[in-house]
């Protein structure tokens, strides 16, 4: 049972620590009457982040270590892990949104789960600070910490972006984009203003990496499929635009495969602006660095990610210039010297995934790419190395040769490079994409649900209804609500004003 102390200081909200026999730090020094904390009987391993790294680390630790060997705690602001490679398909309605997430309470049996945001890491004291959605901040102490906080969208100070843009980093954003695109089609189908219709049916994506291209391709495929249900909208009325700062798309695949994907998407009428940057999008008016201007009501930002900022801003762990935790190939946190050589190991601290600079031993001098393939395998190695540390065994370095990359470009369309020599295009690549990722999806429950969803889509077609009101379900109720009747002094004032008005008229 997790107990929390609630206390309010004169200055408002403040941090409260709790006894050692629960999940937190020592009792506050101000409380002299508080009993001394009891020492922990087993080491506590706190895993920061419940994404691919956090979930797989915690599950493997629990599988290998009994409850009398280690206490495991996972901290994440969301109650589930999102399997990011399936976000484009969830956004296109190919997979139900709930099926691309793994609920922590189900996937992390026998593990303590704290729902809250990590706001500070004080490894010198072996404490973290957690800010729950409601209530006071509190601290949790630990013996080992695993940093798997992942990444957040990397945005730029572009005028209008914060007001009109939307990311594609989590399932909520993916479903919001889908609902928004279909809603714009619904509204445009009954709008006769040609300029307004054109603006509504222009959909802009910024960022031509894997996330951006897959999101664009899946959403475009869905929208063109949906036009068959709109008598007043033709496929040619839809305008999809990609803005990319580099000279090519899909840098994760070889250049010839990237060029093939680009040409295939151009054949579908998708408009590409390479070597181009978004300069402004105020009031939906897009202006690019090359002078292209147009109006749109949809701007999806997929132009890269950055490590969770708490690492750089509120942590005493070493990090590189990109804000990632610096680690050794063993996934131990370590200080990196100015000349790039490995420095002192930070004992009892570990990190992996998007928020860690993990050396790539297969390609010396580079780091492992931030994708699900590496994150899951890093998590397994990290957990095994923690177990080895507890048992006094030698550590093993993380080393993995990529099996390849796969990308979906819409229903029955894709591109893949596997095992360094096998290059697939079209339906075969699409099948490889689905097969690989459904196998990597955690829990058999979710695997089965996704397969059933695909079968249902094949037999009955896409589900293209827009449920945009989900994002503000109380809007209609607020508008329909009757304002409360005035009471007490308000009634007296109203009568006085009414009498005064009559007197003036008389």
């Amino acid at each position: 049972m997790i107990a929390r102390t609630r206390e309010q200081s004169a200055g408002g909200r403040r941090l409260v620590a709790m006894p050692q026999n629960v999940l937190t730090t020592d009792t506050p020094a101000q409380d002299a009457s508080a009993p001394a904390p009891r020492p922990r009987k087993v080491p506590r391993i706190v895993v920061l982040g419940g994404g691919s790294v956090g979930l797989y680390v915690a599950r493997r630790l629990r599988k290998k270590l009994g409850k009398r060997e280690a206490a495991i705690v996972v901290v994440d602001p969301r109650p589930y892990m999102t399997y990011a490679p399936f976000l484009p398909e969830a956004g296109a309605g190919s997979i139900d949104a709930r099926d691309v997430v793994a609920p922590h309470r189900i996937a992390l049996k026998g593990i303590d789960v704290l729902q809250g945001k990590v706001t500070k890491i004080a490894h010198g004291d072996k404490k973290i600070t957690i800010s729950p959605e409601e209530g006071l901040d509190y601290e949790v102490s630990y013996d080992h910490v695993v940093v798997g906080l992942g990444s957040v969208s990397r945005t730029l100070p572009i005028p209008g972006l914060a007001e009109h843009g939307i990311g594609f980093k989590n399932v909520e954003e993916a479903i919001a984009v889908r609902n928004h695109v279909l809603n714009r089609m619904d509204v445009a189908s009954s709008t006769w203003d040609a300029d307004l219709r054109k603006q509504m049916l222009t959909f802009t994506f910024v960022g031509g990496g894997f996330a951006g291209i897959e999101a664009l391709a899946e959403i475009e495929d869905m929208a063109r499929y949906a036009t068959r249900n709109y008598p007043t909208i033709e496929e040619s009325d839809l305008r999809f635009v990609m803005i990319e700062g580099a000279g090519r798309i899909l840098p994760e695949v070889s250049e010839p495969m990237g060029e093939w994907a680009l040409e295939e998407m151009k054949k579908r009428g998708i408009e590409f602006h390479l070597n181009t940057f978004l300069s402004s999008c105020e009031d939906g008016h897009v202006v690019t660095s090359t002078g292209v201007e147009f109006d749109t009501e949809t701007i999806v930002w997929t132009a890269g990610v950055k490590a969770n900022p708490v690492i750089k801003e509120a942590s005493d762990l070493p990090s590189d210039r990109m804000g990632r935790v610096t680690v050794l190939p063993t996934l131990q946190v370590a200080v990196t010297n100015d000349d790039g050589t490995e420095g002192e190991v930070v004992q009892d601290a570990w990190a992996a995934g998007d928020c860690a600079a993990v050396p790539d031993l297969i390609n010396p001098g580079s780091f492992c790419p931030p994708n699900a393939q590496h994150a899951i395998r890093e998590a397994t190695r990290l957990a095994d190395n923690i177990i080895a540390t507890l048992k006094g065994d030698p550590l093993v370095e993380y080393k993995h040769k990529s099996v390849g990359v796969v990308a979906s470009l819409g229903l029955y369309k894709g591109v893949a490079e596997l095992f360094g020599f096998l290059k697939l295009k079209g339906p075969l690549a699409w099948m490889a994409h689905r097969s690989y990722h459904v196998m990597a999806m955690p829990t058999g429950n979710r695997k089965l649900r996704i397969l059933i969803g695909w079968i249902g889509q094949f037999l009955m077609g896409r589900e293209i209804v827009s449920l945009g009101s989900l994002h503000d379900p109380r809007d209609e109720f607020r508008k329909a609500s009757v304002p409360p009747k005035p009471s007490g002094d308000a009634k007296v004032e109203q009568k006085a004003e009414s009498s005064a008005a009559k007197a003036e008229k008389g």
Side-chain angles (χ1 to χ4, degrees):
M1 187 65 148
I2 300 171
R4 292 184 184 172
T5 301
R6 298 184 178 276
E7 190 172 325
Q8 196 73 21
S9 67
R13 198 181 189 205
R14 75 177 180 83
L15 181 72
V16 178
M18 276 98 64
Q20 187 85 313
N21 60 336
V22 287
L23 287 180
T24 51
T25 55
D26 300 341
T27 305
Q30 300 94 319
D31 189 357
S33 62
R38 292 182 296 178
R40 285 192 290 272
K41 294 181 180 180
V42 299
R44 179 184 296 148
I45 304 169
V46 173
V47 181
L48 309 185
S52 294
V53 169
L55 184 136
Y56 279 93
V57 165
R59 281 162 61 96
R60 190 165 183 85
L61 287 173
R62 184 78 295 156
K63 180 180 178 181
K64 298 281 188 177
L65 298 173
K67 291 187 178 181
R68 295 187 178 183
E69 295 178 281
I72 305 167
V73 183
V74 174
V75 185
D76 195 276
R78 289 187 172 86
Y80 51 78
M81 183 214 87
T82 301
Y83 189 68
F86 275 146
L87 286 181
E89 290 203 49
S94 299
I95 303 176
D96 188 276
R98 291 170 296 184
D99 295 340
V100 302
V101 300
H104 289 153
R105 306 291 173 180
I106 296 175
L108 297 174
K109 296 292 186 182
I111 296 168
D112 288 310
V113 179
L114 298 178
Q115 190 173 336
K117 184 179 180 182
V118 176
T119 57
K120 184 178 179 181
I121 304 171
H123 188 66
D125 299 324
K126 289 196 172 180
K127 298 176 182 177
I128 61 165
T129 302
I130 300 173
S131 178
E133 188 171 333
E134 293 186 16
L136 304 175
D137 292 1
Y138 59 93
E139 289 181 338
V140 172
S141 63
Y142 60 82
D143 297 289
H144 291 264
V145 66
V146 177
V147 183
L149 291 171
S151 57
V152 299
S153 294
R154 183 189 65 210
T155 59
L156 299 172
I158 297 171
L161 181 59
E163 293 79 11
H164 303 287
I166 183 172
F168 209 86
K169 188 74 173 62
N170 54 57
V171 69
E172 295 88 350
E173 290 175 332
I175 302 309
V177 169
R178 175 178 180 269
N179 284 332
H180 175 76
V181 169
L182 291 174
N183 175 263
R184 292 301 83 195
M185 294 178 69
D186 286 335
V187 176
S189 66
S190 301
T191 301
W192 309 114
D193 183 318
D195 291 336
L196 187 56
R197 270 173 56 93
K198 185 177 180 181
Q199 182 174 335
M200 289 179 181
L201 298 177
T202 298
F203 308 104
T204 307
F205 289 71
V206 184
F210 253 53
I213 292 299
E214 286 193 317
L216 166 63
E218 289 283 355
I219 296 294
E220 183 268 350
D221 201 41
M222 175 202 70
R224 297 203 185 281
Y225 175 89
T227 57
R228 65 186 66 185
N229 296 304
Y230 294 91
T232 59
I233 299 179
E234 301 291 336
E235 286 191 31
S236 57
D237 293 331
L238 303 179
R239 182 186 182 189
F240 280 84
V241 183
M242 166 58 71
I243 299 173
E244 165 57 39
R248 56 166 296 192
I249 64 170
L250 296 176
E252 298 87 346
V253 302
S254 64
E255 192 164 350
M257 294 294 277
E259 285 293 330
W260 179 86
L262 177 64
E263 292 305 315
E264 287 298 306
M265 294 178 74
K266 282 183 176 180
K267 291 176 184 177
R268 291 156 56 177
I270 300 175
E271 186 179 325
F272 284 85
H273 297 276
L274 304 182
N275 295 309
T276 303
F277 298 93
L278 179 64
S279 300
S280 173
C281 57
E282 290 183 293
D283 299 322
H285 182 70
V286 169
V287 180
T288 72
S289 59
T290 55
V292 175
E293 296 187 35
F294 58 89
D295 293 320
T296 181
E297 292 190 2
T298 307
I299 300 172
V300 182
W301 180 268
T302 61
V305 295
K306 63 180 180 181
N308 193 305
V310 73
I311 294 169
K312 194 78 170 178
E313 299 170 4
S315 166
D316 57 0
L317 295 175
S319 59
D320 63 7
R321 60 182 181 82
M322 297 175 66
R324 301 173 299 181
V325 181
T326 52
V327 299
L328 302 180
T330 54
L331 304 173
Q332 295 169 285
V333 176
V335 178
T336 301
N337 298 321
D338 294 337
D339 59 0
T341 58
E342 299 172 356
E344 183 181 356
V345 173
V346 179
Q347 294 296 327
D348 306 325
W350 312 77
D354 294 7
C355 67
V358 181
D360 188 348
L361 298 184
I362 300 295
N363 302 292
S366 61
F367 297 100
C368 294
N371 57 36
Q373 180 182 162
H374 278 283
I376 293 171
R377 287 168 172 80
E378 288 168 9
T380 300
R381 173 51 52 207
L382 191 157
D384 288 346
N385 279 345
I386 290 179
I387 295 167
T389 298
L390 295 176
K391 295 182 177 180
D393 296 332
L395 306 186
V396 178
E397 295 182 336
Y398 173 73
K399 187 176 183 180
H400 170 67
K401 185 176 181 180
S402 174
V403 297
V405 291
V406 289
S408 171
L409 302 178
L411 197 60
Y412 309 125
K413 297 175 278 287
V415 60
E417 291 183 324
L418 304 173
F419 311 113
F421 66 89
L422 184 59
K423 301 181 187 297
L424 303 175
K425 302 173 183 176
L428 285 177
W430 173 81
M431 289 179 63
H433 171 271
R434 284 198 165 186
S435 300
Y436 175 81
H437 287 303
V438 77
M439 288 190 295
M441 184 72 193
T443 77
N445 176 290
R446 284 306 186 264
K447 287 178 171 62
L448 182 59
R449 286 177 179 271
I450 289 172
L451 289 172
I452 291 173
W454 283 339
I455 293 170
Q457 182 196 53
F458 177 77
L459 296 175
M460 296 176 287
R462 291 178 185 265
E463 181 59 70
I464 55 170
V465 64
S466 169
L467 294 176
S469 59
L470 283 173
H471 307 300
D472 187 7
R474 296 188 65 250
D475 179 59
E476 187 173 345
F477 181 80
R478 285 195 301 266
K479 292 175 180 176
S481 297
V482 177
K485 295 180 179 180
S487 60
D489 295 339
K491 288 183 178 179
V492 174
E493 281 185 25
Q494 281 190 344
K495 288 182 179 179
E497 288 175 3
S498 179
S499 298
K502 288 180 180 177
E504 287 180 6
K505 289 180 180 179

